[in-house]
Amino acid sequence: MGIRRAVVAGGDSPIGVALATALTTAGYEVVRTSRRSQNSAADPKVHPLDFLTLDGLESLPNADWTFIVASETRFSECLRDPDRSGQINHVAPVEIGKTQASKGGRVFFFSSIAVHDGSHEDPAETDVPEPNTLYGRQKRDAELGLLDAGIDPVLLRPAKVVIPQFSLFEQWRCAMLSAQAVTPFSDMVVAPIWLETLIDICVRLIATPAASGVYQASAADQISYLEMARNIAAFDGIDPEILVPTKASDVLPEETRWLPDYATMSCGRLESDIGFERPSSLDAVNHYLRTSA
Ligand SMILES: NC(=O)c1ccc[n+]([C@@H]2O[C@H](COP(=O)([O-])OP(=O)(O)OC[C@H]3O[C@@H](n4cnc5c(N)ncnc54)[C@H](OP(=O)(O)O)[C@@H]3O)[C@@H](O)[C@H]2O)c1
């Protein structure tokens, strides 16, 4: 069998870096892309590609799998410049997908739980998404564009992904250790998954010949940011009284916040196709704590 190649389009984010490492371990020759010329100039395995201009797309190497990872993930930035964020989150993924598929490869798009409106528990992969944020609509439009292109994409909708050195948790711990108050949100819930769990799903999916269409990955239960902070304080032996429960609905502007009632998703397709079992929310928090101890 010849060498298999994977392109990670948007290889500078923590998810992109972890994915590239795992694909290399799985035996792929991996090309990452970056919009930053200093990164592509310094490393021949990094190809220049800006999702805004699509400069670099024509010369992007063909690949067995192209992972479309880069995104404008900040809700506030999406709203500040809808054209720019629409180009990055919707137009570019579809163009990259079509271009890479026309060279004979498969396409794997990182969508988001934000395609759902969070109004009911465990939405299924087959439910028609009704996003209630601009970011969610852009991701939904990219999904539709890729599906309509007839290129048999894999679309993965992850819930919140917790990574090593997750900056919010690091800030909380720093503040708590210096006896400063921490104000975690009590009304913002997530059903987080650990970075390695997400990466394992990706690697297992592309090893599954029948993998195709929409997949969702979340924990089995949801947890508020306040509850996560309480677990972190307990791990560090800090009195939870230092936590000041705060309502995101009181402090975040309405247009830039997303406060779903429900954060879990049905993961039935991952369960049947790769034997995925939804972890608990605390699994992600505990992995973070173990790796950063
Ligand atoms: N993290 C999560 O909890 C989560 C949950 C669900 C879905 N996802 C999805 O997973 C993917 C990765 O998320 P993430 O949290 O790792 O994202 P992130 O930390 O916000 O990083 C975004 C990446 O996109 C790149 N990017 C932004 N604009 C670009 C442009 N014009 N051209 C090329 N690259 C550009 C950034 O490049 P620079 O490094 O140069 O800034 C950065 O590497 C996204 O598609 C996101 O929607 C993430």
Side-chain angles (χ1 to χ4, degrees), residues 9-17 33-36 38-39 48-54 68-74 84 87-89 92-93 96 109-114 135 139 156-163 166 190 192-193 195 198 217 225 265:
D12 287 335
S13 73
I15 290 176
V17 170
T33 78
S34 174
R35 62 170 163 169
R36 301 184 186 277
Q38 68 269 28
N39 293 354
L49 177 61
D50 191 328
F51 278 39
L52 202 51
T53 59
L54 288 177
I68 303 173
V69 183
S71 186
E72 178 49 81
T73 56
R74 295 164 297 179
R84 177 182 168 279
Q87 170 68 24
I88 296 168
N89 290 343
I96 293 167
F109 175 60
F110 276 70
S111 185
S112 168
I113 185 176
Y135 172 72
K139 285 289 194 183
L156 178 63
R157 300 171 179 159
K160 181 75 208 157
V161 181
V162 175
I163 61 175
F166 186 43
V190 286
I193 54 171
L195 176 64
L198 174 75
Y225 278 82
M265 291 178 284

Side-chain angles (χ1 to χ4, degrees), residues 88 142 203 290:
I88 296 168
V203 172
R290 279 202 293 274

Side-chain angles (χ1 to χ4, degrees), residues 4-280:
R4 296 167 301 169
R5 183 187 291 144
V7 165
V8 180
D12 287 335
S13 73
I15 290 176
V17 170
L19 179 61
T21 303
L23 290 167
T24 304
T25 303
Y28 282 83
E29 175 196 322
V30 178
V31 174
R32 293 191 289 129
T33 78
S34 174
R35 62 170 163 169
R36 301 184 186 277
S37 52
Q38 68 269 28
N39 293 354
S40 49
D43 185 344
K45 288 275 171 62
V46 178
H47 183 92
L49 177 61
D50 191 328
F51 278 39
L52 202 51
T53 59
L54 288 177
D55 286 348
L57 177 57
E58 281 312 314
S59 54
L60 189 61
N62 60 347
D64 298 275
W65 280 96
T66 296
F67 292 82
I68 303 173
V69 183
S71 186
E72 178 49 81
T73 56
R74 295 164 297 179
F75 282 27
S76 54
E77 274 304 299
C78 290
L79 282 165
R80 193 188 60 76
D81 194 338
D83 290 341
R84 177 182 168 279
S85 55
Q87 170 68 24
I88 296 168
N89 290 343
H90 164 203
V91 178
V94 176
E95 284 309 307
I96 293 167
K98 285 200 242 180
T99 302
Q100 291 299 92
S102 73
K103 299 178 196 165
R106 299 281 313 274
V107 170
F108 189 121
F109 175 60
F110 276 70
S111 185
S112 168
I113 185 176
V115 300
H116 295 299
D117 65 6
S119 67
H120 61 283
E121 197 173 5
D122 287 342
E125 295 87 344
T126 48
D127 289 357
V128 176
E130 293 182 359
N132 49 5
T133 63
L134 178 58
Y135 172 72
R137 286 194 291 278
Q138 291 170 342
K139 285 289 194 183
R140 186 269 321 267
D141 290 346
E143 286 188 1
L144 291 176
L146 289 163
L147 288 168
D148 287 349
I151 59 174
D152 192 24
V154 168
L155 312 172
L156 178 63
R157 300 171 179 159
K160 181 75 208 157
V161 181
V162 175
I163 61 175
Q165 281 90 48
F166 186 43
S167 60
L168 177 65
F169 291 176
E170 299 281 295
Q171 286 162 26
W172 284 349
R173 295 179 94 186
C174 244
M176 287 192 271
L177 289 169
S178 50
Q180 288 167 2
V182 169
T183 56
F185 295 139
S186 56
D187 58 347
M188 185 181 279
V189 291
V190 286
I193 54 171
W194 177 237
L195 176 64
E196 278 178 24
T197 305
L198 174 75
I199 300 304
D200 183 55
I201 288 169
C202 298
V203 172
R204 284 161 67 194
L205 269 179
I206 63 168
T208 304
S212 171
V214 176
Y215 293 88
Q216 303 186 144
S218 81
D221 58 324
Q222 63 188 36
I223 187 169
S224 70
Y225 278 82
L226 174 62
E227 289 168 282
M228 291 196 287
R230 284 191 176 131
N231 276 277
I232 291 169
F235 181 87
D236 286 338
I238 289 169
D239 184 348
E241 286 298 311
I242 202 163
L243 302 173
V244 182
T246 303
K247 282 194 179 293
S249 52
D250 288 340
V251 297
L252 296 181
E254 190 171 354
E255 60 281 9
T256 59
R257 66 183 188 231
W258 190 50
L259 300 177
D261 292 330
Y262 298 100
T264 56
M265 291 178 284
S266 164
C267 300
R269 293 208 63 227
L270 280 184
E271 287 160 12
S272 61
D273 282 14
I274 62 167
F276 176 69
E277 284 180 30
R278 292 192 298 179
S280 73

